[in-house]
């Protein structure tokens, strides 16, 4: 319903993910757990848990590299365009697959709206989620375990 509610949700999810993965760290790359220990756990640990940390360091490294003239502006711009383009293409591909197989959107206008969102997703929203997820990890390591108030509206008609 709002960015505030979404931020609390992402914070809770990342604290929960951190807690779960650290409680079961013996599973990481442990063949005794089969695919769960060799594929699933490593994915959640390295991709889901650590991705916001890696992304944050990437932003900080890029900013400092540009500031200290270690990174070429032209190359950085081309790399940004390529990375942004890849993000948009992946989002659009997922939208097309979703629409082709599940056809969840009755109105074409809804699909067009999602196409517009796919263009904007990597410009601000992604950085916000990195901030929220990092904040959740920090709270976890500081021992903050409360979930806070969860506001849910669902599909009820709003007045």
């Amino acid at each position: 319903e709002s960015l505030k509610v979404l931020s609390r949700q992402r914070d809770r999810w990342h604290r929960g993910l951190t807690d779960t993965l650290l409680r079961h760290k013996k599973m990481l790359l442990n063949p005794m757990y089969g695919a769960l220990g060799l594929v699933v756990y490593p994915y959640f640990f390295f991709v889901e848990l650590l991705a916001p940390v890696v992304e944050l360091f990437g932003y900080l490294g890029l900013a400092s590299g540009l500031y200290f003239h270690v990174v070429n502006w032209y190359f950085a711009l081309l790399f940004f365009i390529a990375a942004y383009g890849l993000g948009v293409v992946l989002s659009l591909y997922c939208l097309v697959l979703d629409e082709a197989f599940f056809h969840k959107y009755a109105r074409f206008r809804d699909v067009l709206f999602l196409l517009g969102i796919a263009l904007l997703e990597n410009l601000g929203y992604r950085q916000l989620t990195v901030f929220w997820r990092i904040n959740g990890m920090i709270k976890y390591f500081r021992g903050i375990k409360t979930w806070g108030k969860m506001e849910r509206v669902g599909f009820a008609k709003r007045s």
Side-chain angles (χ1 to χ4, degrees):
E1 286 297 309
S2 70
L3 284 177
K4 184 177 179 181
V5 172
L6 182 62
S7 72
R8 288 196 307 248
Q9 179 195 57
R10 296 300 188 251
D11 175 305
R12 281 191 308 271
W13 283 4
H14 217 70
R15 278 188 287 141
L17 177 66
T18 305
D19 185 42
T20 301
L21 290 175
L22 293 180
R23 283 179 191 251
H24 302 286
K25 61 184 174 254
K26 67 181 179 191
M27 295 175 74
L28 179 62
L29 300 174
N30 188 336
M32 184 174 94
Y33 294 97
L36 182 63
L38 296 173
V39 178
V40 177
Y41 190 103
Y43 166 79
F44 277 97
F45 186 82
F46 293 111
V47 176
E48 294 296 331
L49 181 69
L50 296 181
V53 176
V54 171
E55 195 166 339
L56 176 64
F57 277 104
Y59 293 137
L60 295 174
L62 176 63
S64 63
L66 289 170
Y67 180 78
F68 291 111
H69 305 287
V70 176
V71 174
N72 179 288
W73 281 91
Y74 181 72
F75 177 79
L77 179 63
L78 290 177
F79 191 81
F80 168 77
I81 292 169
Y84 173 76
L86 178 62
V88 169
V89 166
L90 289 174
S91 293
L92 293 177
Y93 183 66
C94 289
L95 181 60
V96 167
L97 283 176
D98 189 57
E99 187 60 20
F101 289 102
F102 302 109
H103 196 65
K104 291 191 288 189
Y105 308 104
R107 299 179 305 182
F108 185 68
R109 190 172 97 194
D110 295 334
V111 175
L112 288 178
F113 176 75
L114 290 173
L115 289 172
I117 294 297
L119 295 172
L120 299 174
E121 176 183 16
N122 292 302
L123 299 174
Y125 174 74
R126 181 169 186 82
Q127 293 74 24
L128 272 176
T129 59
V130 166
F131 174 75
W132 295 331
R133 293 168 70 191
I134 292 284
N135 193 42
M137 286 180 79
I138 291 169
K139 283 183 180 179
Y140 174 81
F141 288 115
R142 289 181 61 210
I144 298 172
K145 306 285 185 191
T146 60
W147 292 118
K149 184 179 178 191
M150 292 184 272
E151 301 170 24
R152 292 199 172 104
V153 175
F155 294 107
K157 297 254 185 205
R158 289 178 234 143
S159 53

